[in-house]
Amino acid sequence: MRGAKKCLLELGYARTTARDIVAASGTNLASIGYHFGSKDALMAAAMMELMGDWGDRFSPPSMRDVEMSSLQRFSEAWQRLIEQFAADPQLLIASFEIFAQIQRLPNLKAMLAGAYEQLRGELALDFLTPTPDLEGKRFRAVSSLLLALLSGLAAQYLADPERAPTVDEIVDGLRYIGRSLDALAGE
């Protein structure tokens, strides 16, 4: 697993061979098949583990207990994300590479779908202070929107980190959209 994670970050998904993993891990080629079934299954498991590690760094449990307003929590979460992108660009690259493979690798697709569904069940807690009206379908809707924004920000950051949206631009843009939607609802 360590060898596969190292190769994902250094070589990327498409360029990593089973022999690269063996060289990075000091194991033998047969161990990949024995423990994981295939190189692709190992790489998928390694990617999921890397993403889990990244998520743990982004969202330490202690952050959910910190008393702050929703605006502060929201801004702080986006700032932590941007800092994570800057600190770990290789993982960001690897995650986009692996998305290109999900239609060809059903197990990977299922793993990612499960990870996204789990995020839809918890992501809003990282960005917003819980309130009684943020539950059920609304909680899932908010988490889904945040996940879409997170993916979009990651893509923009990967393409052009210097001009990717800042926390202030994200907050200002969402405020404007919210006001616009409220105005339309009143018509």
Side-chain angles (χ1 to χ4, degrees), residues 76-92:
E76 173 69 24
W78 286 109
Q79 187 59 47
R80 284 194 323 271
L81 269 175
I82 292 168
E83 289 168 3
Q84 286 284 107
F85 294 163
D88 213 348
Q90 293 308 107
L91 180 57
L92 199 55

Side-chain angles (χ1 to χ4, degrees), residues 38-140:
S38 70
K39 180 201 92 160
D40 288 330
L42 170 57
M43 295 291 279
M47 188 65 203
M48 296 309 294
E49 199 169 293
L50 283 169
M51 295 301 285
D53 295 345
W54 187 88
D56 292 344
R57 288 191 308 274
F58 164 69
S59 178
S62 61
M63 279 306 297
R64 291 184 180 171
D65 297 331
V66 174
E67 292 288 327
M68 60 178 75
S69 71
S70 277
L71 178 58
Q72 290 171 315
R73 183 176 298 277
F74 189 80
S75 297
E76 173 69 24
W78 286 109
Q79 187 59 47
R80 284 194 323 271
L81 269 175
I82 292 168
E83 289 168 3
Q84 286 284 107
F85 294 163
D88 213 348
Q90 293 308 107
L91 180 57
L92 199 55
I93 293 166
S95 69
F96 274 86
E97 279 186 325
I98 211 151
F99 276 109
Q101 305 300 318
I102 63 174
Q103 297 304 320
R104 294 181 190 93
L105 302 169
N107 290 344
L108 175 60
K109 185 176 182 177
M111 290 169 88
L112 286 171
Y116 273 135
E117 191 58 26
Q118 181 180 346
L119 282 170
R120 286 183 198 102
E122 59 191 40
L123 195 59
L125 294 175
D126 293 318
F127 286 86
L128 301 170
T129 303
T131 59
D133 65 333
L134 183 62
E135 55 187 37
K137 288 181 181 181
R138 178 171 288 149
F139 187 93
R140 187 179 193 289

Side-chain angles (χ1 to χ4, degrees), residues 78 116 123 142-154:
W78 286 109
Y116 273 135
L123 195 59
V142 169
S143 288
S144 295
L145 175 62
L146 290 167
L147 188 54
L149 290 172
L150 186 156
S151 298
L153 178 62

Side-chain angles (χ1 to χ4, degrees), residues 23-42:
S25 66
T27 61
N28 64 54
L29 200 54
S31 64
I32 293 172
Y34 179 78
H35 292 288
F36 295 94
S38 70
K39 180 201 92 160
D40 288 330
L42 170 57

